Amino acid sequence: MSEINIDTTELGEKIVKVIKTIFDPEIPVDIYELGLIYDVFVNEDYDVKILMTLTSPNCPVAESLPEEVREKVKSIDAVNDVEVELTFEPTWTQDLMSEEAKLELGML
C-alpha cells in the first residue's frame, strides 16, 4: 500500500467538496450550503467524524442521508474511516443556510 501524504486541512476541503455533491431531496440545494453539516473533524490517522443534522427529525431521508454522506466521504482515497453523528442540537433553522442557498431558493 502506498503512503498517502496529505494534510488534514486539504483532506477537509476534499470532504466538503464531496459533501457539496449531496442534495436534500426536497430542497434543490446541497446539504453543506443548507447548513446541515455542523462540523467535520479529521484526525492524523485520516479518520473522519461528521456532525450533521436534518431539516427536521421526521425528514424522509433520516436514515439514508447520513449513510450517503458516510459512503461518499469514505470513497475519498485518503480517508481511513468515517463516522457520521446525527444531532438535533441546535435545531436546524433557515438561518444556518449560506447566502448562496438563500439566493438559490429566492430568500434574498
Side-chain angles (χ1 to χ4, degrees):
M1 186 170 131
S2 64
E3 187 63 36
I4 299 169
N5 190 4
I6 184 171
D7 71 40
T8 53
T9 304
E10 188 179 333
L11 184 54
E13 289 168 6
K14 281 187 174 187
I15 291 167
V16 168
K17 272 188 185 164
V18 167
I19 290 172
K20 284 184 170 196
T21 69
I22 303 169
F23 287 77
D24 184 295
E26 298 174 336
I27 307 168
V29 174
D30 71 76
I31 62 172
Y32 189 84
E33 297 298 335
L34 268 180
L36 298 182
I37 303 299
Y38 285 167
D39 223 331
V40 176
F41 305 96
V42 182
N43 71 15
E44 62 279 352
D45 294 326
Y46 306 121
D47 292 326
V48 177
K49 181 173 181 182
I50 297 168
L51 187 61
M52 69 174 288
T53 194
L54 301 170
T55 51
S56 85
N58 304 324
C59 183
V61 291
E63 290 184 21
S64 62
L65 195 60
E67 185 57 26
E68 183 180 356
V69 170
R70 194 189 75 70
E71 286 178 12
K72 286 197 172 173
V73 172
K74 186 126 173 73
S75 74
I76 299 170
D77 285 344
V79 170
N80 181 36
D81 196 23
V82 179
E83 177 189 348
V84 176
E85 183 179 327
L86 206 52
T87 184
F88 293 99
E89 293 293 323
T91 304
W92 180 85
T93 66
Q94 292 181 351
D95 294 340
L96 295 170
M97 293 168 55
S98 70
E99 296 285 312
E100 182 181 313
K102 289 176 182 173
L103 191 63
E104 179 78 25
L105 297 173
M107 297 168 68
L108 287 179

